[in-house]
Amino acid sequence: MTDLAFLWHMHQPDYRHPDSGEFLLPWVLLHATKDYTDMAAHLERHPGIRCTVNFVPVLLDQIEDYAAQFASGQWRDPLLRIAAAPDSESPSATDRAWLLDVAFRCHAPTMLDPFAPYRRLRDLLDFIRAQDGHSLAYLSATYYTDLAIWCLLVWSGESLRRSGQVIPKLMAKGGNFSAVERQALLAELGEAVGGLIPRYRALAERGQIELSCTPANHPLAPLMLDFAVAREALPDCPLPTAPEYPGGRSRVAEHLANAQASHERRFGKPAAGLWPAEGALSAEFLTQIAEAGFQWTASSHGVLRHSAGNGARTTTPWLPPEGTPGDILLFFRDERLSDLIGFEYAQWHGRDAAQDFMTEIEAIHQREPGSLIPVFLDGENAWEYYPYNAWYFFSDLYSSLEQTPGIRTVTLAEAAAQRRESSPRLPQLTAGSWVYGTLSTWVGHPNKNHAWELLCELKQCADRALYSGRFDAAICAQVRHRLAVCESSDWFWWLGDDNPTESIASFDRLFRDNLRSLYHLLELPPPVALDHPLSRGGRAAESGGTMRRATEM
């Protein structure tokens, strides 16, 4: 029997402004209504499919925040605030500018072009912007509420479109949505968002899926422990001038502990497995993961090649290097198969893509019977590039898997239990991630290194303040929380020259706002450097779309 182990990774960074709590970008909401709902629905429709679903705690925090907004009507996301506005009430100038900036950030061929009313809203905006600078004043309140509703409609999942009552009617109507209709849509979306965590918990409790976790705020833990590990896979990688991230080991331990506390509170028991942020591992970080009691962790084939040679195969789990504490196994993703789903099959007809994938895994089954096929990728990012949010691809793929003898889907915990005794041992673990097998996406570029240096300076200030005894327990908890947000890997990902300029600017600004807010918590003046963007590079976004990454897609 050949085992196929899917891991679907769900992650978004914290988009809330550190002082106001306002959501500065809407991607948690939009991925929740489009992708997290559909991925649960596929599994519910195909009870014979088993897999692992990984949730990052900071994403779950924000899903619960949105559920609270829908329940209370106290909107902290401008998109929802505009959608809920009474008839003829124009949004504030700030909300109008925000909506015009984000409203068409989607993959146009699948999410904009098929919808004539949405295209007309875009074309009208393009026409007005081509006139003099005052022309935007002619856009009515109805334009903005219709635009907000269409954002919510095109980011609704196929499962909601097929089972919901409101979404199909509004899509058919096309525009001039009344306050009553808009409130009905918000109620339907609110029910979907509020039900997400219980749906995944129910799938886990009936044994169909395993729920795993990531350190709480998605930190790039190997670099927090030692900047120099970036040179294990990339010897010439430039490093920050700071010798180390102060107190990195204790900070990583807190992210791990908070992840397990989050998991147990939401899903009823600790997680057996941990997907590290960006699949990034190092020997020291692996030791901490094992000491925290996790039974398995994972990375990608690039890390395995650097650690055990080009001939090392992903078709089995691996025991850790000698001397690693605990009882932990490592899985390494099949990069080619994972990337076929993540990047290639969106261009195919869904049935053809599903059949090609089945052909690939059946060939592995014939060549290596009894092997493990590990397919790990984001569970939210690729689907907007597929027609119908990959509905037909998943329908055909999951149906084929349920009906194919000799190939079974398994969770990673099951694979670990079944294969532990026959697993080879890693001779060493070379630090790296699932991006190129290196850590160069988060360190090495001057802007990324500068961000680390600013964070190191702030961490030293926080340590001195916390150890001084000047602050009570409540303030100390706020400091640690804000520090955890600042440690997210996403800030470093987006800095650099190879991302769209608008995305770089958004993340650059929010990172500096978080640093500035922490200085204020510490009752210290923020350095002048935080008044200036860290990155002035970037590239133009593709027409009608954006990078296939965890946020702006």
Side-chain angles (χ1 to χ4, degrees):
M1 183 70 68
T2 295
D3 290 339
L4 173 60
F6 287 115
L7 182 148
W8 304 114
H9 171 52
M10 315 297 196
H11 165 59
Q12 296 292 316
D14 197 333
Y15 294 114
R16 295 169 291 191
H17 191 276
D19 299 321
S20 68
E22 284 273 303
F23 279 82
L24 302 184
L25 291 169
W27 310 121
V28 167
L29 169 67
L30 300 182
H31 282 295
T33 57
K34 186 171 76 70
D35 303 308
Y36 309 146
T37 54
D38 272 6
M39 293 299 279
H42 294 311
L43 292 165
E44 290 161 349
R45 292 187 305 120
H46 295 279
I49 298 299
R50 303 171 69 78
C51 67
T52 301
V53 180
N54 189 83
F55 278 106
V56 181
V58 69
L59 168 61
L60 297 173
D61 292 344
Q62 293 175 92
I63 289 174
E64 289 181 341
D65 190 323
Y66 274 108
Q69 290 181 62
F70 281 110
S72 68
Q74 301 298 310
W75 308 113
R76 290 181 295 281
D77 185 317
L79 182 59
L80 297 175
R81 188 161 51 238
I82 295 170
D87 286 333
S88 302
E89 180 179 302
S90 184
S92 69
T94 299
D95 283 356
R96 292 197 304 269
W98 180 92
L99 181 60
L100 296 182
D101 181 50
V102 305
F104 301 106
R105 294 195 201 178
C106 63
H107 185 57
T110 56
M111 296 181 68
L112 198 159
D113 294 345
F115 304 106
Y118 193 30
R119 291 200 314 271
R120 286 195 291 271
L121 294 171
R122 178 202 58 188
D123 294 345
L124 178 58
L125 180 61
D126 288 346
F127 173 79
I128 288 177
R129 280 176 165 165
Q131 311 307 310
D132 66 77
H134 300 289
S135 298
L136 289 176
Y138 290 99
L139 292 174
S140 68
T142 300
Y143 177 88
Y144 288 102
T145 52
D146 279 6
L147 182 55
I149 293 302
W150 267 104
C151 284
L152 293 171
L153 292 175
V154 300
W155 283 87
S156 61
E158 279 296 307
S159 57
L160 295 183
R161 294 178 188 181
R162 291 163 186 258
S163 65
Q165 300 299 312
V166 179
I167 291 173
K169 293 178 181 178
L170 296 189
M171 295 184 94
K173 181 178 181 181
N176 198 27
F177 305 116
S178 70
V180 172
E181 290 170 324
R182 290 184 274 114
Q183 288 295 339
L185 175 62
L186 293 176
E188 194 160 278
L189 296 179
E191 183 177 355
V193 172
L196 277 174
I197 294 174
R199 285 175 77 181
Y200 281 98
R201 178 168 177 164
L203 285 165
E205 287 177 343
R206 69 172 181 239
Q208 186 176 350
I209 69 171
E210 174 189 2
L211 290 167
S212 60
C213 68
T214 295
N217 287 76
H218 206 262
L220 216 292
L223 293 177
M224 290 177 63
L225 296 171
D226 184 0
F227 290 139
V229 297
R231 289 180 169 166
E232 291 181 10
L234 197 65
D236 296 330
C237 180
L239 301 179
T241 57
E244 63 180 2
Y245 184 66
R249 182 174 177 83
S250 63
R251 294 298 307 145
V252 169
E254 185 165 319
H255 282 279
L256 289 169
N258 288 344
Q260 281 291 35
S262 160
H263 202 88
E264 190 159 7
R265 175 170 66 84
R266 284 153 170 149
F267 301 123
K269 61 181 181 180
L274 178 123
W275 171 257
E278 309 293 359
L281 287 176
S282 66
E284 186 175 359
F285 183 36
L286 177 61
T287 294
Q288 280 200 263
I289 297 170
E291 289 173 343
F294 289 97
Q295 298 169 24
W296 63 261
T297 190
S299 188
S300 200
H301 194 192
V303 173
L304 178 60
R305 286 194 303 268
H306 290 153
S307 302
N310 291 333
R313 307 183 68 83
T314 63
T315 49
T316 179
W318 289 73
L319 294 167
E322 288 285 357
T324 304
D327 189 24
I328 192 167
L329 276 183
L330 291 88
F331 295 91
F332 296 94
R333 72 193 281 263
D334 184 310
E335 292 176 348
R336 193 178 70 85
L337 290 179
S338 301
D339 288 347
L340 280 174
I341 296 176
F343 299 103
E344 173 64 27
Y345 285 153
Q347 313 304 317
W348 296 38
H349 188 282
R351 185 176 295 110
D352 293 340
Q355 183 56 57
D356 185 77
F357 187 84
M358 292 300 301
T359 300
E360 293 279 354
I361 62 173
E362 286 169 351
I364 296 173
H365 172 59
Q366 295 299 321
R367 187 172 63 247
E368 299 180 66
S371 61
L372 171 73
I373 306 173
V375 176
F376 309 161
L377 65 151
D378 288 343
E380 60 202 356
N381 297 332
W383 316 136
E384 75 176 78
Y385 295 85
Y386 282 72
Y388 300 98
N389 207 44
W391 182 266
Y392 293 104
F393 169 71
F394 274 107
S395 293
D396 285 322
L397 176 62
Y398 281 178
S399 294
S400 296
L401 287 169
E402 286 178 309
Q403 299 165 15
T404 301
I407 297 173
R408 65 182 175 189
T409 53
V410 297
T411 70
L412 289 175
E414 290 171 337
Q418 294 162 4
R419 297 171 179 271
R420 184 176 301 277
E421 297 303 320
S422 60
S423 296
R425 186 173 294 280
L426 276 179
Q428 63 178 4
L429 178 59
T430 300
S433 75
W434 69 348
V435 185
Y436 315 127
T438 74
L439 301 176
S440 60
T441 299
W442 302 272
V443 71
H445 187 282
N447 297 336
K448 300 174 191 286
N449 287 353
H450 184 37
W452 278 110
E453 289 155 7
L454 290 172
L455 182 57
C456 287
E457 292 174 10
L458 177 53
K459 177 58 164 58
Q460 289 177 326
C461 292
D463 287 344
R464 287 193 294 268
L466 291 176
Y467 296 150
S468 71
R470 291 191 295 119
F471 299 112
D472 61 23
I475 296 296
C476 290
Q478 291 180 49
V479 168
R480 287 193 296 272
H481 170 74
R482 185 57 47 201
L483 185 60
V485 174
C486 294
E487 291 165 344
S488 168
S489 72
D490 297 87
W491 315 123
F492 307 97
W493 170 291
W494 286 100
L495 293 171
D497 303 324
D498 55 351
N499 290 311
T501 300
E502 61 185 6
S503 299
I504 293 173
S506 297
F507 280 82
D508 184 337
R509 183 168 54 252
L510 187 51
F511 176 60
R512 289 181 290 112
D513 284 347
N514 275 291
L515 296 183
R516 190 179 293 109
S517 176
L518 184 45
Y519 273 108
H520 290 154
L521 267 176
L522 297 171
E523 300 177 358
L524 296 171
V528 175
L530 297 184
D531 296 333
H532 306 287
L534 301 176
S535 181
R536 302 179 187 275
R539 62 170 179 81
E542 297 176 6
S543 176
T546 49
M547 281 194 64
R548 192 172 309 184
R549 171 56 177 157
T551 51
E552 313 242 354
M553 299 182 294

